[in-house]
Every structure is written in structure tokens, then in C-alpha cells.
Amino acid sequence: MDHNRASRRSFLALATATPLVATVLASCGDSGPGGAGSGAATDWILSGQPKEGIRQTAVDDWNEAHEDQQIQTSAFQNDAYKAKIKTAIGAGQAPTIIFGWGGGTLRSYVEADQVDDLTSWLQENAAVKDRLFDAAFAAGTVDDKIYALPTETVQPIVLFYNKKLFDQVGAQPPTTWDELMALVPTFNAAGIAPISLAGQSRWTNMMWLELLFDRIGGPELFESIYEGQPNWTDPAAIDALTKVQDLVRADGFITGFASVTADSNADQALLYTDRAAMMLQGTWTYGGMKTDGGDFVSAGNLGYMNFPEVAGGKGDPMNAFGNPAQYVSVSSQASQEQKDIALAYFADGLLQEKEAEAYITEGGEVPIVKGIDAKFAGLDDEEWLTFVYDLATNAPSFAQSWDQALSPTQAETLLDNIEKLFGLAITPQEFATAMNAATAS
């Protein structure tokens, strides 16, 4: 197996974790690494409300209580961050605390000796590990050692829909792929885009393939690809690739989707301004729609469901894809003082009660803290939070997003080819041939 591929054990632990093994399972300056000065640790966080504010408040609270262990933050949009962090790590200018999504990217950091092994620290600080969802640790593990601490929230991909628009055309949410395809001409005839898609971001397109591969071929289809087998050309894979292009050709996605970006939340806006009827996205978008969408969420106009089943497919319609958590590592290039600050923050500042409750009440997300479902009762978002919790908990397979599971090089090739596939620039067979070459052992 290609040593650059994230460990099969980690991927399968994600894909097969169940409620039996976890409470619930679950995307530079010149003064030293990450621009740190005067001994402070540095932390690059993702921008976008409400989560940017929650992350920043957690650091601010820490700094207020720890005058001698300060953390300096910088905020970046998602896609810009992914590019900047790779450059910074390659140049030895990474922040002290490296945020990520685990999987293949983390493995690349480990192989370049850019992040510290946290295994012994977690053994010495067992309470830190014991309070978090057990299954969240798989994507932060490389060759049986933990290099990234899971944090924040579990984020499955779900199909959101605008109830008002469905009522307008007299339609029901699709429970099968055929029903979804049948909705396309119905919405188009009413002057409504069937599906919002931020195609410029590419990973948003990938979600459609992930779920179709699962529903048609079962989780074992991508697992075999992940192991290095040339199964992109498997009949089930070709079927999934063909179905995506069928949807594009039927004008299933909003006109101009290739120019719509996820970082700007433009895809969310198309849904809550009644321009599009559906959107396949991660649960992290709920907070943005609640914050920016006026009374769209509070008035009960937002619907949500797991991805539809495909007739004759092998995949269980309860299966899920997404992020089992987010992850933080400690840069091996940081000073010992900076590392000590980061670890102290991991132990006593990160995802404490105030931050966890903010993710629930402000972000509408499920933190990866054991017993967190006890906090849902009586909240405005109780129904949504319970849906996410149950979806993650009950999924027979919850697999990590492909671009996070694969190595960075493989992921970039994947995203490039997905862009071409959705743009109808290549055929399913051409996509499969290119990807077999890119992911072969």
C-alpha cells in the first residue's frame, strides 16, 4: 500500500464505528513559526460566523485567565487556509496549533516530521481523551499513534431542502434517487433551481459522488480504492459518475454553479432566499443559515434528511459521510514554551463547557463531548440537533470525506477531475482512468 495513503485502519474505524464503541460518531510573520513573538503560541482559526466567534472567544477567555500563556490567533477562510497552511508548514513557518481534518493530510505532516506525537501526553492526561467521542480519534491517528486531538463537532453531510418551495410545487422530499431526478423538471418548470451547488469550491461537488458511491456500491467500494485497488472503473463507480453527469445535463444544479463559492456561503443564500430548492452540504452550514437567513430557520422553512437511497444499490441508506470531528496538532517546529502553552490549552481551554454549549446554541452543531445530547432538551434547535446526533450515532458506516482521507496530492487530483466531470469536460470512464492512475498502490 502507498505509504502516503492514510492508514486503512483509521479509515475503517471511521466507517464502522457505531454506538457500541462510542457515545456517537462523528471537511507568517518573521518572528518565528506562525509569526509568533515574545513566546506566545499561535493559532490559525477558520473564519465565518458563528463558529469564528466561538473559537475566538475560547482563546480570549484562555488569554484572560493565563497571562503568562498567551495565544495569538489569525483567521482565514476555509479554502485559503488549506492553501496557506501547506505553504507555511513546508516553509517551517506553521502556527503552533495546526488545525485540520485528520486523515491523509495529517499523515503527510507526520511523515515530514512537522507535528508532535500526542500519544504519551494523552496517556498522562487521560481525562482529556476520555471526555471526547471515542470514534473521533481514528482520523487523528497515524500508525497507531495520535498526532491530532479531535475537537469541535461531528459533521455529517445532509440534504437540506426549502419546505416553502416544495409546498409551492406540491412536491415531497425525495427518498430515492429516481424521485430526486423527477423533481428536477418540476422545479425548473416553476422557475426554481432544483439544487444549489457551490461548484467553484469543488469539494462541494465531491459530496454528491461520495454519497452516490456509497448508496450504489456500499462503503466497501471506496474502501477498496483507498487501499490502492483500481476500482474507480468498477461498474458501481461508473454508474455513480454517470448519474452525476445525468443530473448536470438535466439542469439539476443552479445555472452558473461552477462560479458559486462555499466560503462566501453563497450556496446557503440560494436556499434561504428561495432561489433553490435543495442543497447537499455539511451540518456546519446550519448555523450560517440560522444567522444570515432571517427567519428562514426559525419559521420552520428548512427541511433536512439523509441522502436518498438508490434502487438496487448495496449501500445502507442510513450510511453517512463527513467529518467525524475537527483536529488540532502541535507543530514540531514550535519552541518548547509554545508547545507547553498549546498542550495546556488542549487540556484546560479547548472545547470546555462554554465553548461546547456555544456550538450547540449558536452554531446548531453537535460537539464531540460524551453525554452532550443531554443538553438538547428544550432548545430551539432540539429537533435539528437530535437529527444530527441520531444520524451520526445510528449510521452503520460513517466515512471520512475523500479529500481528507486521501493524501494531499491524491486529493488535489481528485478535486481537479471532479471539476472536469461536473463541467462535462471528461466522461465517467476518463475520470475513472485518471483516478486509478492517481490512487494506485
Side-chain angles (χ1 to χ4, degrees):
M1 182 169 119
D2 183 346
H3 73 281
N4 284 324
R5 188 173 288 107
S7 76
R8 169 173 159 79
R9 180 180 292 110
S10 291
F11 184 85
L12 291 183
L14 289 172
T16 59
T18 71
L20 298 178
V21 296
T23 305
V24 61
L25 176 71
S27 86
C28 299
D30 58 5
S31 53
S38 64
T42 49
D43 183 15
W44 292 359
I45 63 175
L46 296 190
S47 63
Q49 299 301 346
K51 293 184 77 172
E52 178 185 353
I54 298 171
R55 296 177 179 119
Q56 186 62 52
T57 297
V59 174
D60 290 345
D61 288 349
W62 172 267
N63 285 340
E64 188 175 339
H66 300 82
E67 196 172 309
D68 59 342
Q69 293 182 306
Q70 296 289 290
I71 299 172
Q72 298 172 357
T73 60
S74 300
F76 302 93
Q77 285 192 331
N78 183 300
D79 290 347
Y81 172 80
K82 288 175 181 176
K84 187 173 179 64
I85 192 67
K86 289 176 186 175
T87 301
I89 286 176
Q93 292 290 322
T96 313
I97 298 171
I98 300 174
F99 178 92
W101 293 268
T105 298
L106 177 65
R107 173 171 282 269
S108 72
Y109 296 163
V110 171
E111 291 174 346
D113 296 321
Q114 294 291 345
V115 292
D116 283 354
D117 180 356
L118 303 178
T119 311
S120 60
W121 180 80
L122 283 167
Q123 289 170 345
E124 295 164 7
N125 296 270
V128 176
K129 188 172 188 290
D130 292 346
R131 64 186 290 266
L132 305 176
F133 294 162
D134 297 330
F137 283 86
T141 302
V142 177
D143 297 333
D144 298 324
K145 294 181 180 179
I146 301 171
Y147 289 88
L149 180 71
T151 187
E152 297 195 3
T153 60
V154 59
Q155 300 173 324
I157 298 164
V158 303
L159 184 63
F160 292 100
Y161 61 95
N162 184 317
K163 291 182 181 180
K164 186 163 57 174
L165 296 182
F166 271 78
D167 289 345
Q168 184 177 318
V169 300
Q172 295 297 315
T175 59
T176 68
W177 181 258
D178 290 342
E179 289 178 6
L180 187 147
M181 289 296 294
L183 287 170
V184 169
T186 300
F187 281 113
N188 277 326
I192 299 164
I195 301 164
S196 174
L197 179 66
Q200 187 172 320
S201 298
R202 303 183 303 173
W203 52 264
T204 42
N205 303 6
M206 177 185 67
M207 295 176 178
W208 286 91
L209 281 183
E210 289 172 341
L211 272 304
L212 278 170
F213 267 59
D214 175 89
R215 295 298 187 262
I216 297 170
E220 58 270 22
L221 176 57
F222 186 72
E223 286 166 17
S224 68
I225 291 169
Y226 187 78
E227 289 180 294
Q229 297 177 28
N231 284 345
W232 290 102
T233 44
D234 184 277
I238 296 297
D239 187 13
L241 295 165
T242 302
K243 278 181 165 55
V244 155
Q245 289 201 326
D246 289 344
L247 184 57
V248 173
R249 289 192 174 95
D251 292 329
F253 300 112
I254 190 161
T255 302
F257 69 84
S259 300
V260 179
T261 62
D263 276 353
S264 63
N265 296 343
D267 51 348
Q268 299 173 34
L270 291 168
L271 189 71
Y272 65 67
T273 58
D274 303 332
R275 291 181 59 197
M278 293 174 279
M279 177 182 72
L280 188 67
Q281 256 286 16
T283 53
W284 57 84
T285 59
Y286 181 90
M289 289 188 282
K290 187 179 175 185
T291 300
D292 301 330
D295 65 354
F296 178 65
V297 174
S298 61
N301 291 322
L302 178 65
Y304 38 82
M305 59 185 289
N306 202 347
F307 193 82
E309 66 179 314
V310 176
K314 295 179 183 177
D316 191 316
M318 291 178 65
N319 287 349
F321 254 94
N323 300 325
Q326 292 73 65
Y327 295 85
V328 284
S329 300
V330 176
S331 171
S332 61
Q333 305 303 309
S335 69
Q336 189 58 52
E337 181 182 5
Q338 291 171 325
K339 291 180 181 183
D340 289 344
I341 294 171
L343 291 175
Y345 180 64
F346 288 1
D348 299 313
L350 192 66
L351 201 58
Q352 298 303 304
E353 186 172 7
K354 179 181 175 182
E355 182 183 356
E357 291 193 357
Y359 286 129
I360 296 171
T361 59
E362 297 176 35
E365 293 198 47
V366 176
I368 56 159
V369 177
K370 291 177 181 176
I372 200 66
D373 53 317
K375 303 278 189 183
F376 300 163
L379 296 177
D380 290 343
D381 296 321
E382 180 179 2
E383 183 180 342
W384 160 254
L385 293 163
T386 302
F387 164 77
V388 175
Y389 182 89
D390 289 346
L391 174 60
T393 302
N394 297 326
S397 165
F398 187 127
Q400 188 180 24
S401 295
W402 291 352
D403 59 336
Q404 303 304 336
L406 296 172
S407 74
T409 302
Q410 292 168 345
E412 187 58 33
T413 302
L414 170 69
L415 294 171
D416 280 345
N417 280 282
I418 285 176
E419 185 175 27
K420 293 174 185 174
L421 183 79
F422 275 69
L424 305 180
I426 56 175
T427 66
Q429 187 64 47
E430 287 169 336
F431 175 97
T433 301
M435 288 312 303
N436 274 345
T439 58
S441 292

